Amino acid sequence: NKDFVCFLFKLGSNIYKIRKVRHISQEELALSASISMNYISKLERGMTNPSIKLLNKICRRLHVKLYDLFKDT
């Protein structure tokens, strides 16, 4: 559904923005979360639905709280 697609896009966009501000490469983020760079790329483009467990790993590497990934910017 359209709302869910928008949600995933916003989530991915927030991850991308935070990663860039922190000067963390896709490769670094992927390694710390034990996933592929391709998955990170898809995630940042809103093309995949990550688990809460994965989002928690991403948050630890980005040094943010889980709710920061869902904020409107």
Side-chain angles (χ1 to χ4, degrees):
N1 74 38
K2 188 176 179 180
D3 289 336
F4 189 66
V5 171
C6 288
F7 170 79
L8 290 178
F9 179 79
K10 185 65 176 170
L11 172 64
S13 178
N14 285 345
I15 291 171
Y16 172 82
K17 289 173 188 173
I18 295 167
R19 182 177 63 77
K20 286 296 192 178
V21 166
R22 302 271 195 275
H23 304 287
I24 297 170
S25 69
Q26 282 187 337
E27 182 178 15
E28 289 175 276
L29 186 56
L31 285 171
S32 67
S34 302
I35 56 175
S36 70
M37 282 180 23
N38 185 48
Y39 191 91
I40 291 290
S41 176
K42 286 181 179 181
L43 177 58
E44 290 182 345
R45 290 180 283 139
M47 298 175 65
T48 189
N49 181 10
S51 68
I52 295 296
K53 184 177 180 178
L54 175 59
L55 291 177
N56 189 48
K57 288 180 182 181
I58 289 171
C59 286
R60 277 187 267 143
R61 179 61 183 100
L62 296 178
H63 305 288
V64 296
K65 300 287 185 190
L66 186 60
Y67 63 82
D68 292 324
L69 300 183
F70 301 100
K71 288 182 178 178
D72 286 332
T73 54

